[in-house]
Amino acid sequence: MGAVGGAGTAAAGAARRRGGGVRRSRLGWNLLGLCVFVGAGFPVYWMLDTAFKPARDAIDPTPHLLPTSLTLDNFRRALQIADFWGPVGRSLTVSLTVVVIGMAIGLLAALAISRFAFRGRKIVIVGILAVQMVPLVAMIIPIFLLLNDLGQYDKLSGLMITYLTFVLPFTVWTLRGFVVNIPKELEEAAMVDGCTRTGAFLRVVFPLLAPGMVATSVYGFIQAWNEYLYALMLMSQQHQTATVWLGNFTTKHGTEYAPMMAGATMMAVPMVVLFLLVQRKMAAGLTAGAVKG
């Protein structure tokens, strides 16, 4: 009986040690997650804090972590310093058009790469990866010369074509991962039941692919909305986009940080609204394409 009791005590002790190790490991991961959240969220908090604090507090050499007073004067100043709705409207037009065209072409390309075997398939895949690795700054001069020859310099259509050069490869590669995760047997079963290949895609594949398309569209929209370099180099002040509009707060007299952060806050509103509208599809799409590809 003594041996049995000793064995039971030892087993209980080992279980407690394992349980303590699991709790410590979980605590460590939670602390790491908290640090990542604080590191990623603090710039957003500081932007909002600066947007609502008086302008004199924004340039205080000893800033306060918590605001001492709030004001809306920075937003009024941001709207007065230059045209706001024009650049925002142009950015929305360009971003939405790029997403729609990119999704239409990218979906067809992703289906072709994922579902059909053809000569040069691997070369196409490698080419898509290679294009994404090219720094955007390296293509400014060639794109400028090309758009100038085509008569698209300082035009929204030219900017859309430019954005498609980096949004489209990203869209194709991302959608390919989602398409690969949908078994071919589902399409084949639908075709056995009498559907054409197009009907099988619309009735079976497309509903399963919808979350991935939403996630890809959101990231494509973010890329086009936040792009600054090409919009600065290819568009004049009369046709500037929202990101370039923020440069109006930097003058020869200095930078108006509080109104600039107010403008950045207003620019972030469309992205926040978009995320709120598609957050469920976004979460499902992120997990759908994370298994294999």
Side-chain angles (χ1 to χ4, degrees), residues 21-259:
V22 170
R23 285 193 294 271
R24 285 192 296 271
S25 177
R26 185 177 300 172
L27 178 61
W29 283 111
N30 288 338
L31 290 176
L32 178 61
L34 180 61
C35 291
V36 172
F37 172 77
V38 172
F42 183 78
V44 179
Y45 164 76
W46 198 249
M47 177 186 72
L48 294 173
D49 178 60
T50 306
F52 285 98
K53 68 172 55 173
R56 64 178 182 276
D57 293 342
I59 57 176
D60 192 335
T62 57
H64 301 282
L65 184 61
L66 298 177
T68 57
S69 59
L70 301 176
T71 180
L72 294 177
D73 291 340
N74 297 323
F75 291 90
R76 286 191 285 268
R77 172 60 178 161
L79 294 173
Q80 292 172 357
I81 196 170
D83 179 31
F84 172 73
W85 300 111
V88 169
R90 285 188 285 272
S91 289
L92 282 174
T93 302
V94 171
S95 300
L96 291 175
T97 304
V98 168
V99 168
V100 171
I101 297 176
M103 289 300 299
I105 300 175
L107 178 58
L108 296 176
L111 286 171
I113 294 174
S114 304
R115 288 292 192 256
F116 301 101
F118 55 89
R119 183 176 300 177
R121 177 173 173 268
K122 292 184 179 180
I123 297 177
V124 172
I125 296 175
V126 172
I128 292 173
L129 285 175
V131 169
Q132 295 186 76
M133 296 177 184
V134 177
L136 295 180
V137 67
M139 299 188 295
I140 289 181
I141 295 179
I143 288 180
F144 170 79
L145 295 175
L146 180 61
L147 293 181
N148 190 48
D149 291 340
L150 296 176
Q152 294 297 315
Y153 176 73
D154 196 21
K155 293 184 179 180
L156 292 183
S157 56
L159 194 62
M160 295 173 190
I161 296 172
T162 303
Y163 285 178
L164 282 172
T165 60
F166 58 85
V167 172
L168 189 55
F170 167 82
T171 301
V172 174
W173 183 256
T174 306
L175 287 179
R176 174 186 173 272
F178 294 120
V179 174
V180 168
N181 285 329
I182 300 176
K184 293 182 180 180
E185 291 75 12
L186 296 177
E187 290 181 83
E188 294 172 354
M191 294 172 67
V192 169
D193 290 338
C195 287
T196 62
R197 181 175 291 274
T198 303
F201 169 76
L202 294 176
R203 291 178 172 84
V204 178
V205 178
F206 187 79
L208 297 175
L209 194 59
M213 294 178 63
V214 171
T216 305
S217 299
V218 170
Y219 279 105
F221 184 89
I222 292 174
Q223 284 184 298
W225 177 264
N226 290 334
E227 204 284 322
Y228 172 78
L229 185 61
Y230 284 113
L232 176 65
M233 300 299 296
L234 300 178
M235 306 299 288
S236 64
Q237 186 174 3
Q238 291 75 19
H239 299 145
Q240 65 184 359
T241 58
T243 52
V244 180
W245 170 82
L246 287 175
N248 290 313
F249 297 99
T250 300
T251 64
K252 61 182 180 180
H253 302 292
T255 301
E256 300 183 60
Y257 291 103

